[in-house]
Amino acid sequence: MKQRIITALILAPLVILGIFELSLPLFTIAIAAVMMIGYWEWTQFVEPKSRWTALIPAVLVSGLSLVVIPFDADSLNQVAQPHYLMLAAGCVWWVISSTLAITYPKSSALWQNSTVLRHAFGILTLLPFFWSVLLLRAEGIEADAYHGAKLVLYVCFIVWAADSGAYFAGKSMGKRKMAPHVSPNKTIEGLIGGIITAILVGWGAATWFEIEFTSPLVMIAITLVTVVISVLGDLVESMFKRVSGIKDSSNIIPGHGGVLDRIDSLTAAFPVFAFLYFIF
C-alpha cells in the first residue's frame, strides 16, 4: 500500500502537467504511447505464440485510422462523421462488453476460443479511447488553449471520484454483488456510492473549470452514464484477466500493475463521455 500511494503521488501531478502543458502534437504522441503499451499488455489476453506477432493487427488498424481520420487541430475542432463513428464504435463496444462481464462465465463461451475476437476486443478497447481523449483535448484549443485540457481532467476526476466513492461505500455498506464471478468485491451499494460521489465532484469540477453543458440535468445525465460505464469497464478487464489467468496486466507501474490496470475505467469512460458531450 505504501508503494502504491507513493507512486500515485508521483504520477498524478505528472499526468495533470502533461494534460495541460504538452502541445497537441506532443500530447498526441503521449496518448499514442499509452495506447501502444496497452496493446502490448493486451497481447497476453490473446495468448499468442509470439506477443510481437500478436501486436501487428492492432498497430495496423490504429495506423490506418490515423490515415483515414484527420487529426490536425483544425479537423479535431470540427468533429466530423469519422470522429463520431469512432466514438460510437467505442460506445457500442462498452455496452456489449459490459453485458459479457455481467453474464460471465456463460458469456465466455461466445468468445473465449476466438483469437480474432480477442484481437478485436483489444482494438475496440484502446483505439476509441485514444481518439476520444484527443478530440476532447483539442476542443476549442484555438480560442482557449486549456479548455480541452479541462475536459480531459474532468473525465479523470469523475472516474477517480467514482472509484473512491465505490470503494468506501462498498466497504461500509456493500452486500449485493454486481458480478461475483468476475470481481467479488464490487457491489451495487458501491456503485451507487460511486455515482453520488462522481456527480458531486463533477458538479464542482464543471463549476471550477467553467465547463458549459446544455443544462445541469444534461451534465448529471452525461456524468451518470459515464461513471456507470467506467465501473463496468473495470469489470471487463477483470473478466479478460480471469480468463487468461493473469493477476496484473504487467508490473510497469510499481504498486499498481500495468497501464491497463490503471486506465481500464478510463478506456470505457472517455469514448462515452466524448460522444455524449459532442452530441448534446
Side-chain angles (χ1 to χ4, degrees), residues 83-229:
H83 301 126
Y84 280 117
L85 289 174
M86 178 62 70
L87 297 177
C91 293
V92 171
W93 159 241
W94 286 110
V95 171
I96 293 172
S97 62
S98 297
T99 303
L100 293 177
I102 293 171
T103 56
Y104 178 85
K106 290 183 179 179
S107 62
S108 62
L110 300 172
W111 57 268
Q112 188 171 357
N113 297 318
S114 173
T115 301
V116 173
L117 284 179
R118 290 191 185 211
H119 277 294
F121 290 171
I123 294 169
L124 287 168
T125 295
L126 289 161
L127 190 56
F129 163 74
F130 165 79
W131 279 103
S132 58
V133 176
L134 199 56
L135 284 163
L136 288 173
R137 180 62 185 87
E139 170 69 3
I141 196 169
E142 293 179 354
D144 180 356
Y146 294 120
H147 175 66
K150 293 174 183 177
L151 283 173
V152 172
L153 192 57
Y154 178 87
V155 179
C156 293
F157 274 175
I158 62 174
V159 170
W160 295 339
D163 286 344
S164 299
Y167 175 80
F168 288 110
K171 278 285 187 181
S172 58
M173 298 179 290
K175 292 181 180 179
R176 287 168 287 224
K177 308 293 185 184
M178 284 182 59
H181 297 291
V182 176
S183 184
N185 294 326
K186 283 190 168 45
T187 62
I188 299 296
E189 292 80 6
L191 174 61
I192 294 172
I195 289 172
I196 294 172
T197 305
I199 288 175
L200 292 174
V201 170
W203 195 293
T207 303
W208 180 25
F209 292 154
E210 298 180 338
I211 296 173
E212 294 185 2
F213 292 88
T214 307
S215 69
L217 186 60
V218 169
M219 185 275 289
I220 292 173
I222 291 176
T223 301
L224 172 64
V225 175
T226 300
V227 166
V228 171
I229 288 293

Side-chain angles (χ1 to χ4, degrees), residues 243-260:
V243 169
S244 302
I246 298 168
K247 184 179 183 297
D248 294 320
S249 57
S250 75
N251 58 2
I252 193 172
I253 307 174
H256 290 264
V259 166
L260 285 177

